[in-house]
Amino acid sequence: MSARAPILLRLVAAGVRQQTAYPLAALAGLVANVTFGFLKVAVLLATVEAAGGELNGYDAGTMSAYIWISQGLLGSVNLFGRTEIAERIKSGDVVVDFLRPLDVHAAAVATDVGRSLWALLPRGVPSVVIGAVVVGMAVPTSVAGFLLGAVSMVLGIVVSCTTVYLVAATGFWLVETRGVQILYMVVSGFLAGLFVPIGLFPTPLFAVASATPFPSMMMYPVDVLSGRVAGWDAVGLVAAQAGWLVVTAALGQQMTRRGRHKLEVQGG
């Protein structure tokens, strides 16, 4: 693992450089994030007010933090199911990747992580700053809370990359993965807490969401970064994220090894 680390870091850097080539796309994403953020503010803060100022543990400050942090993460957390490796598997170009002295799974994930981390700068941070200045929001009350929130955020991004790779890896057997991508997009956004916090879900649905990696991508980082969950409870959420990272990464490795033997290159 240590021998591969410098290579993987270079791939992360390559993903960052790739995304810096599209500044206008980042600006458009920021505008979309902020626009939908204000729409969610109008709806969700009105809901909190109608509930008497507190709804299932959310007050105006924590609900605002949920809205703006989740909008800020939207450009970095892959809830849409699209990834470059899926197209390479479909076209057969992944054969070239297997000939290189690189772990195909690790290389694809590392590059996606680089792209996602870059999106925090032109989209994520400005979205949160705008929300904090214009609307106001809750934040952690200690430096340790901010540091743990940063770790949780990075883990959420990596878990989203390892999980979306699983969607792409189904292409080794299905070739065309658009149906799986659409299903992933519908399920992941809902269970990750993109539309409403999963803490507002009915108990059975909350249990279903908690049994998937999706809250680890967005909801858990939001709870830790907002300070809504602190102390050992926050550590528990970060530990759950780390657990899902291990599970999804191991499954990605297994699917890649099996898929290599099942690979069908279209056209021959």
Side-chain angles (χ1 to χ4, degrees):
M1 179 66 182
S2 59
R4 291 192 304 170
I7 297 175
L8 294 180
L9 288 175
R10 289 184 181 183
L11 289 171
V12 171
V16 170
R17 289 196 302 271
Q18 186 180 65
Q19 289 304 98
T20 59
Y22 305 102
L24 291 181
L27 177 61
L30 173 61
V31 172
N33 284 0
V34 173
T35 301
F36 282 100
F38 281 115
L39 290 174
K40 291 173 74 173
V41 163
V43 174
L44 293 178
L45 292 191
T47 303
V48 171
E49 183 178 356
E54 191 273 336
L55 179 63
N56 282 23
Y58 284 90
D59 58 18
T62 51
M63 185 62 80
S64 179
Y66 154 75
I67 293 168
W68 292 110
I69 296 174
S70 63
Q71 288 300 113
L73 286 173
L74 190 55
S76 298
V77 175
N78 191 337
L79 300 178
F80 302 99
R82 296 188 295 271
T83 183
E84 182 181 341
I85 191 66
E87 293 301 319
R88 295 187 66 80
I89 293 172
K90 178 181 176 180
S91 66
D93 290 342
V94 73
V95 170
V96 178
D97 299 331
F98 279 125
L99 295 176
R100 293 169 176 157
L102 284 175
D103 183 310
V104 170
H105 167 248
V109 170
T111 306
D112 281 345
V113 168
R115 297 189 188 104
S116 299
L117 288 175
W118 164 252
L120 289 173
L121 296 180
R123 293 183 60 176
V125 173
S127 296
V128 175
V129 170
I130 290 171
V133 172
V134 177
V135 182
M137 54 186 280
V139 296
T141 57
S142 67
V143 174
F146 279 104
L147 293 177
L148 191 61
V151 172
S152 180
M153 178 181 63
V154 173
L155 279 173
I157 290 172
V158 179
V159 169
S160 79
C161 292
T162 55
T163 304
V164 82
Y165 179 90
L166 303 180
V167 175
T170 62
F172 286 119
W173 292 269
L174 301 178
V175 181
E176 179 56 72
T177 61
R178 280 181 294 182
V180 182
Q181 290 175 8
I182 292 172
L183 177 62
Y184 175 89
M185 180 174 63
V186 173
V187 173
S188 66
F190 184 66
L191 297 183
L194 174 60
F195 309 115
V196 295
I198 66 171
L200 304 185
F201 287 0
T203 300
L205 187 56
F206 177 82
V208 170
S210 300
T212 71
F214 301 120
S216 292
M217 303 176 190
M218 180 172 284
M219 195 71 253
Y220 295 168
V222 168
D223 280 342
V224 178
L225 280 168
S226 67
R228 179 176 177 270
V229 179
W232 287 109
D233 290 336
V235 172
L237 293 185
V238 173
Q241 291 179 279
W244 278 114
L245 175 57
V246 171
V247 170
T248 53
L251 186 55
Q253 283 283 322
Q254 184 68 14
M255 290 182 70
T256 303
R257 285 194 294 268
R258 292 179 178 269
R260 182 170 187 170
H261 297 293
K262 298 287 290 185
L263 181 62
E264 176 183 337
V265 179
Q266 289 186 324

